[in-house]
Amino acid sequence: MYAVHKEMEESLEQSDQPPPSVSIQGDVALHHTYLEEHAISALIYLNKEHSEVSVLVVDEETMSTLHSKHSGIDETTDVLTFDHGSDEHAVRADIAVCGDVALLESEKHNTTIQNELLLYILHGILHCCGFDDCDDESHQKIHAEEDRVLKAIGVGTVWSNVT
């Protein structure tokens, strides 16, 4: 992790406010700690120190059901975000990410599944920060921001490696 992030984490430790909270649930084997730590680093980098994010890793069938129920689209997707009142200081959200899609995409683009899942989590977080991907211009902006944040927290680019 870069020195600037260590400084931000140290200042958070000295503050009266609790650090960002990220919980990961679902079958991601040994990736829970990696995903939680890096998602927290991303939230700190984005100045969202008072965040509470819950991530559920689901299979393709469950994601298809969720996508249909909440978006009216009868197919799977990589990430769905449920914002619960995020603001300028905090992201409050439930995020569903599809482990099956992450596995396929990581194999297809020669990335790790943990970085693919982290990309999806960050994508959900950025939606709560006001980013969208409903047209080509906003699509490019959110993915550029993903790569910027992932580079800043020491992961490196993920999206630009697959396009």
Side-chain angles (χ1 to χ4, degrees):
M1 197 174 309
Y2 291 106
V4 69
H5 300 293
K6 277 290 188 207
E7 290 173 19
M8 290 185 337
E9 286 177 351
E10 288 169 6
S11 71
L12 268 178
E13 289 171 3
Q14 297 168 2
S15 116
D16 293 338
Q17 299 294 327
S21 167
V22 175
S23 67
I24 310 289
Q25 299 174 359
D27 184 22
V28 288
L30 304 175
H31 304 297
H32 281 90
T33 302
Y34 178 89
L35 294 172
E36 288 171 358
E37 289 176 355
H38 285 82
I40 288 170
S41 291
L43 288 162
I44 292 168
Y45 180 78
L46 293 166
N47 296 312
K48 303 293 184 180
E49 292 88 0
H50 311 296
S51 297
E52 294 180 34
V53 177
S54 177
V55 178
L56 180 61
V57 181
V58 299
D59 62 20
E60 190 170 4
E61 182 179 340
T62 302
M63 183 60 92
S64 292
T65 301
L66 289 169
H67 201 204
S68 178
K69 179 179 178 182
H70 296 284
S71 301
I73 300 171
D74 291 325
E75 60 186 43
T76 196
T77 189
D78 50 3
V79 58
L80 286 172
T81 305
F82 304 92
D83 191 343
H84 300 297
S86 299
D87 60 35
E88 64 187 49
H89 302 291
V91 171
R92 294 177 195 89
D94 293 324
I95 300 172
V97 295
C98 186
D100 293 335
V101 171
L103 179 61
L104 289 173
E105 290 299 310
S106 67
E107 290 172 351
K108 180 177 170 183
H109 300 292
N110 200 28
T111 62
T112 65
I113 189 169
Q114 65 189 18
N115 283 347
E116 192 70 23
L117 287 167
L118 180 60
L119 174 69
Y120 300 170
I121 293 166
L122 179 57
H123 188 87
I125 289 169
L126 291 175
H127 274 299
C128 296
C129 294
F131 283 84
D132 204 346
D133 54 1
C134 59
D135 59 43
D136 287 341
E137 183 179 345
S138 61
H139 184 267
Q140 290 304 317
K141 284 181 182 178
I142 194 170
H143 292 302
E145 183 69 359
E146 290 164 357
D147 279 345
R148 185 182 77 80
V149 172
L150 291 171
K151 281 174 58 177
I153 66 170
V155 173
T157 61
V158 176
W159 176 258
S160 63
N161 291 345
V162 302
T163 57

